[in-house]
Amino acid sequence: AKYHYEGWESGGGDAFSTPDATGINRGPNPAWGIGVSSVLGAKNLLEVHYAGDGGEWTLESLTGSTADPFFDKAPPGGGPWLYSDGYLYPYDWDTAKHQVDAILSTHADDFLKGDHEFKFGLQYGLGEGDTVTASGPRSVYYYRNEYVYEYYGYENIYEYYYRATSRAYHYGAETTTLSAFFDDSWRVTESLTLNLGIRYDAINADIPDYPLLDGNWNETGETIPGLKDAVDWTHFSPRLGFAYSFQDVGVLRGFYGSFYDANVTGNWYAPPPGAPSYFDEYSSSRNGPWTPYYVWDWFDNPIDPNMKPPETDQFTLGYEHRVGQSWTLGIQGIYKETVNLIGWEILDDGVYEMVPWRNPFTGEVQELASVIEQPTTRKSNRPGAGSLAPPGQNYEQDFKGVVLSFNKRYSGGWTMFGSYTYSDSTGFLPKPWSEVQGDPFYAAFPPDPNNFLNAEQALQNERRHVIQIQSTGDLPWKLNGTVNFRYLDGKPYNRQMSVGGLGSQTPLNQGSVTIIAIPAQSDVTRPSQTAFDFSLARPFGLGPVDLTVRLDLLNAFNEDSHDWWETLNVPPGDEYIPSGYIWPRRLMINLALDF
């Protein structure tokens, strides 16, 4: 049996936000589980396990302010936007998950021309999530902007205030998963072992009924009907592997497997049925009077009924060779092809006016879509015919890699292992303009058709070269020391531009649209990272128990590289601003009791 409890907070200020406008994320994070293993006869083992977790997380103002958020898009002297008053888009997020696994393992000697270890398994999972969010603590926020107009050499600056209103609302999902699997480790001969397996998954999920909320997050007594069978997936996942031994000198291994993503509900559960409209108004004063200028409505059917789960086919082939009595050297090739990633689809029922745009980086003239009539958007496996993606494009990614490895088994008081990885990954992802890869969508707004221009590119998390080495050895005075070294090549990034004026002749006014001007390429990267970690450990005998004290010095030489740029929207000639620095040098103390 096990139980874990974690109470956590995450957040922090910056130079452009007041404490009231700074967010603090907090909540409990409990997890629990219980299991039993039972030997049944001489060759059978039965395992039954249950595990669960849950959390009630909030994101709100650091000071607890419930004032209406305000941000200034044109602060005096220019520079980044300034945020004040309350926190923009706070939320309450409740989650829970339960899973039961039952696995029967059985050995069969001299059966079907070999020895077998069979495994039969059943799994049942139940999960739910419920989030309440709004534009601000009272479902409204404000911002200010300036516009410059030139007329016969004279320049006039006009100031406008804007108010955006949308009532609070629930979104979330309830999901069940029933799975069964069979696995056979089949020793055909002294030299050849096969691994055969197949898995079946049946996944069903609903968007539940939710109470209608008012602007102050209170229930109104009305109910918004949910969406039954929002996801209804069934699929089989086969896999086949082999290992062939060459007289205790080398081993050749190969593998093929088909894998499906679990049901990541955050990819599709928002917007839910009955999601609120967004009302935008403007005024020459923060206090009004306000003039409506735009209403944005969600579409009633946000999910493609034919949406499929993301699927990966993986192939590996490798060889490991023994050198002397202590060393092995290995090489492995990996190819992974992933299809049916989940993102926004833009249907072809909108009306656009195509306008020319000159790419400031390449000089190439391309056409952008100025929206006259808004297209339908929904969650699906493709960007859609209404986007500027190539015709028939789906969301997908490919990975090709080679891993060289070496390993020294423990002898002479020390051991060491390491690897070098070369990788190449490309794809057309659901969020090609983002600096991160693979995050769920949650309550993200639909994209603009122009966001998918030039979106085929190197993947955001690719590191072309990775070197890792770790060595552990015995030291005097019963000490044990560990050295860990890692080198990570920099991650690629694209170059983006904001283009305004699209849709300005219609009530839709697209605003500032993000365009990928130059796709991410593996030879244009952020800085690489090199880090060393050191560890010292010593056991102490305390009667019936052993106490081990370990000191870990992480990032010992204080590598100060970064993982992100503050923004990828940087005009030609301007400098990128680093962001997301890796953790600095730090010391961690670990105490362990063995009894």
Side-chain angles (χ1 to χ4, degrees):
K2 63 181 180 181
Y3 182 78
H4 163 93
Y5 182 85
E6 177 180 275
W8 62 276
E9 287 188 351
S10 176
D14 56 49
F16 315 111
S17 303
T18 65
D20 288 345
T22 297
I24 182 73
N25 206 349
R26 60 167 66 95
N29 190 21
W32 53 88
I34 189 169
V36 60
S37 300
S38 179
V39 177
L40 306 178
K43 298 183 178 181
N44 303 307
L45 175 67
L46 177 65
E47 302 172 82
V48 180
H49 301 279
Y50 159 74
D53 61 69
E56 300 176 5
W57 305 338
T58 61
L59 177 62
E60 59 186 357
S61 166
L62 179 65
T63 64
S65 171
T66 58
D68 299 328
F70 177 80
F71 59 100
D72 194 343
K73 287 189 172 184
W81 297 354
L82 301 179
Y83 295 82
S84 59
D85 298 339
Y87 188 73
L88 194 63
Y89 289 107
Y91 63 69
D92 291 328
W93 183 17
D94 296 344
T95 65
K97 182 181 178 181
H98 307 274
Q99 182 165 314
V100 178
D101 300 333
I103 302 171
L104 175 64
S105 302
T106 181
H107 295 269
D109 299 331
D110 298 323
F111 177 71
L112 293 178
K113 297 184 179 181
D115 300 336
H116 299 259
E117 181 181 345
F118 296 111
K119 287 189 177 182
F120 306 87
L122 290 174
Q123 296 176 321
Y124 177 77
L126 175 67
E128 56 185 13
D130 178 11
T131 301
V132 182
T133 188
S135 308
R138 296 190 298 172
S139 303
V140 64
Y141 67 85
Y142 298 82
Y143 65 94
R144 186 188 77 93
N145 208 351
E146 291 181 350
Y147 299 92
V148 179
Y149 294 93
E150 294 186 1
Y151 184 75
Y152 288 102
Y154 293 95
E155 184 177 89
N156 293 312
I157 300 178
Y158 295 90
E159 176 183 80
Y160 285 96
Y161 290 83
Y162 296 84
R163 181 170 71 177
T165 306
S166 175
R167 62 172 172 78
Y169 67 100
H170 284 264
Y171 67 90
E174 296 176 349
T175 180
T176 59
T177 302
L178 179 62
S179 306
F181 68 85
F182 166 77
D183 182 82
D184 178 16
S185 180
W186 178 9
R187 189 172 184 182
V188 183
T189 68
E190 289 294 323
S191 299
L192 177 62
T193 300
L194 298 180
N195 291 102
L196 312 173
I198 190 166
R199 178 185 176 91
Y200 169 77
D201 292 284
I203 299 173
N204 186 265
D206 305 325
I207 296 177
D209 300 344
Y210 284 123
L212 180 68
L213 304 179
D214 62 20
N216 291 317
W217 302 46
N218 298 315
E219 296 184 9
T220 64
E222 299 181 51
T223 298
I224 299 175
L227 179 63
K228 295 290 290 184
D229 298 327
V231 162
D232 191 9
W233 294 333
T234 58
H235 45 73
F236 289 91
S237 307
R239 60 200 65 187
L240 169 65
F242 74 88
Y244 188 86
S245 175
F246 295 92
Q247 299 178 350
D248 198 33
V249 173
V251 179
L252 178 67
R253 295 184 177 91
F255 174 81
Y256 162 74
S258 177
F259 301 90
Y260 289 86
D261 269 13
N263 181 19
V264 182
T265 56
N267 279 329
W268 55 262
Y269 65 14
S277 301
Y278 282 75
F279 299 91
D280 289 334
E281 303 164 289
Y282 71 91
S283 173
S284 58
S285 167
R286 168 74 187 267
N287 299 316
W290 299 99
T291 301
Y293 81 96
Y294 181 56
V295 178
W296 200 93
D297 292 308
W298 299 99
F299 290 98
D300 291 335
N301 180 20
I303 300 176
D304 178 0
N306 297 314
M307 184 176 70
K308 299 177 181 179
E311 178 186 2
T312 295
D313 286 326
Q314 177 173 324
F315 304 84
T316 65
L317 183 64
Y319 177 71
E320 188 174 14
H321 189 80
R322 181 166 61 85
V323 179
Q325 297 302 311
S326 301
W327 292 86
T328 60
L329 302 178
I331 182 171
Q332 183 181 53
I334 305 168
Y335 175 72
K336 296 171 66 173
E337 181 181 53
T338 301
V339 297
N340 296 327
L341 297 171
I342 295 175
W344 284 106
E345 179 184 15
I346 303 176
L347 303 187
D348 61 354
D349 55 357
V351 178
Y352 305 157
E353 177 188 2
M354 303 307 294
V355 297
W357 171 71
R358 182 178 293 277
N359 189 320
F361 295 98
T362 66
E364 178 185 4
V365 176
Q366 298 176 291
E367 288 196 325
L368 303 183
S370 182
V371 178
I372 298 174
E373 294 183 14
Q374 188 74 34
T376 303
T377 55
R378 64 184 184 182
K379 298 294 177 63
S380 187
N381 304 120
R382 63 194 65 85
S387 73
L388 296 193
Q393 178 69 56
N394 290 327
Y395 293 128
E396 58 190 14
Q397 61 185 42
D398 291 335
F399 174 89
K400 296 182 285 291
V402 176
V403 181
L404 304 178
S405 62
F406 63 89
N407 181 43
K408 180 191 178 298
R409 69 177 179 85
Y410 180 81
S411 63
W414 66 288
T415 182
M416 182 169 65
F417 61 90
S419 65
Y420 162 74
T421 302
Y422 172 87
S423 64
D424 177 53
S425 59
T426 58
F428 199 106
L429 298 186
K431 293 191 290 186
W433 56 88
S434 173
E435 283 206 73
V436 297
Q437 176 185 336
D439 282 2
F441 273 76
Y442 299 121
F445 285 100
D448 185 272
N450 302 285
N451 293 152
F452 295 105
L453 186 67
N454 305 323
E456 177 80 21
Q457 57 186 350
L459 299 188
Q460 294 98 319
N461 286 344
E462 177 185 285
R463 295 188 184 274
R464 179 58 60 95
H465 306 281
V466 175
I467 300 173
Q468 300 184 85
I469 302 173
Q470 186 177 74
S471 181
T472 299
D474 299 329
L475 300 174
W477 306 299
K478 297 183 180 180
L479 292 172
N480 178 269
T482 298
V483 178
N484 184 60
F485 165 81
R486 62 187 177 277
Y487 168 84
L488 306 176
D489 216 12
K491 296 188 292 187
Y493 60 94
N494 58 38
R495 303 207 67 159
Q496 301 176 5
M497 287 293 296
S498 292
V499 177
L502 298 176
S504 58
Q505 304 305 313
T506 74
L508 295 173
N509 195 342
Q510 292 163 262
S512 182
V513 175
T514 298
I515 308 293
I516 297 176
I518 300 180
Q521 303 169 66
S522 58
D523 57 350
V524 179
T525 68
R526 301 172 186 84
S528 60
Q529 299 176 10
T530 303
F532 284 88
D533 303 328
F534 298 99
S535 174
L536 279 178
R538 191 187 192 285
F540 296 89
L542 302 177
V545 302
D546 288 329
L547 170 67
T548 299
V549 180
R550 191 175 81 242
L551 302 179
D552 294 322
L553 181 60
L554 307 176
N555 192 9
F557 298 116
N558 217 29
E559 167 77 22
D560 61 355
S561 184
H562 61 275
D563 269 329
W564 321 110
W565 298 120
E566 189 173 274
T567 177
L568 296 179
N569 192 342
V570 178
D574 285 7
E575 296 292 329
Y576 286 91
I577 300 175
S579 179
Y581 290 89
I582 65 174
W583 284 89
R585 180 192 299 118
R586 58 204 186 279
L587 181 66
M588 184 162 63
I589 302 174
N590 297 271
L591 303 176
L593 279 176
D594 295 323
F595 54 89

